[in-house]
Amino acid sequence: MYAEERLNEIVARARAHGRVDVASLAADLAVTPETIRKDLTSLERQGVLRRVHGGAIPVERLGFEPALAQRSEANTEAKERIAKAALAELPAEGAVLLDAGTTTARIAELLPTDRELTIVTNSIPIALTLSVRPNLQVLVVGGRVRSRTLAGVGDWAINALSSVRVDVAFIGTNGVSTGHGFTTPDQAEAATKRAMISSARRAVVLADHTKLGEDYFARFADLSDVDTLITDAGADADLVADIEAAGLTVVQA
């Protein structure tokens, strides 16, 4: 088992059982306890797990939302594949909305240079990335900037979004499940995401496999509100089948 596979397995077990312990992981994964401790330290730095005595627990059990810098280091290969797959959803011309997030930020970096597009975003980092591109018109949604996500949220953002109509919106999420739809920890961010979906002809949600089956505090959309979910090949087959059975198109990159 490669190191990244081991890290994914540790996170999956933590989320499934609410906790993992060093001794059991070392025995099950056939590595030394010291290797597991290093893995847990790495995952804590990524903001995925929180170390406790003898093991670790997933941060969502603490109601904790990792900061943008921490999330940008997690599941980078999966996010790269998702972003590349999302490019197929771009119009030849017109308006595109990019929600704040680490996967949408990767889309921004990959946008083709041969298309003239209007980009609407509530993300300060994405706006800065795209501001130097001569083929793009970049419009920044205002509002209160959340320090954890560097996203503009709240009434100002919602009012601005209500006055535009985009061809496709690429939306990030913290969790997606058949029971609760698409969720995120913050109510203001959830309200802004709802406004984004309402402003778009098509809504595409981007979520790596660790977010499937997870629920957070604030729901911003039902499965029926979204056209396509793009995830990665590591997604659990049963979870994907359940989501597809609910009528949502799922693309695995």
Side-chain angles (χ1 to χ4, degrees):
M1 181 180 289
Y2 293 109
E4 185 171 350
E5 293 175 317
R6 189 174 64 247
L7 294 177
N8 287 336
E9 177 64 20
I10 291 171
V11 173
R13 292 189 184 200
R15 287 174 169 160
H17 303 292
R19 178 188 174 104
V20 288
D21 66 85
V22 172
S24 296
L25 287 172
D28 293 346
L29 302 179
V31 294
T32 65
E34 181 59 28
T35 295
I36 295 298
R37 292 188 188 97
K38 290 179 180 178
D39 288 344
L40 296 183
T41 297
S42 174
L43 291 168
E44 184 174 48
R45 288 172 178 166
Q46 293 177 29
V48 179
L49 301 182
R50 179 67 62 86
R51 292 290 301 272
V52 297
H53 181 69
I57 58 176
V59 293
E60 50 264 28
R61 302 292 181 187
L62 304 172
F64 174 74
E65 184 183 8
L68 186 66
Q70 293 172 312
R71 289 187 290 117
S72 66
E73 298 175 358
N75 299 312
T76 54
E77 291 185 8
K79 291 174 181 178
E80 177 79 9
R81 295 196 300 272
I82 291 169
K84 288 180 177 178
L87 296 179
E89 305 290 334
L90 287 172
E93 59 182 16
V96 173
L97 189 149
L98 292 178
D99 184 15
T102 55
T103 310
T104 48
R106 190 67 189 113
I107 293 177
E109 295 170 356
L110 295 172
L111 284 175
T113 58
D114 61 347
R115 301 186 203 182
E116 293 190 0
L117 298 170
T118 296
I119 306 295
V120 180
T121 185
N122 69 327
S123 166
I124 292 174
I126 288 176
L128 291 172
T129 296
L130 298 179
S131 63
V132 297
R133 294 278 300 273
N135 63 316
L136 304 176
Q137 176 178 244
V138 181
L139 303 178
V140 183
V141 173
R144 175 176 61 87
V145 178
R146 291 194 67 220
S147 60
R148 285 205 169 274
T149 60
L150 297 181
V153 299
D155 290 342
W156 282 5
I158 291 168
N159 289 338
L161 289 164
S162 68
S163 66
V164 301
R165 186 71 168 165
V166 301
D167 296 291
V168 58
F170 294 99
I171 310 293
T173 187
N174 295 79
V176 52
S177 70
T178 54
H180 297 282
F182 298 96
T183 54
T184 194
D186 183 77
Q187 286 180 300
E189 194 132 8
T192 305
K193 290 176 187 290
R194 280 195 293 272
M196 289 178 173
I197 291 172
S198 295
S199 73
R201 294 183 177 87
R202 290 188 299 117
V204 177
V205 171
L206 314 171
D208 68 68
H209 69 276
T210 64
K211 298 175 181 178
L212 273 61
E214 297 295 326
D215 295 322
Y216 284 79
F217 178 68
R219 177 165 57 186
F220 65 87
D222 294 325
L223 295 184
S224 59
D225 296 323
V226 170
D227 298 281
T228 302
L229 169 68
I230 303 180
T231 186
D232 61 273
D236 181 87
D238 291 335
L239 287 174
V240 170
D242 289 343
I243 293 170
E244 289 179 322
L248 182 60
T249 299
V250 178
V251 175
Q252 288 186 262

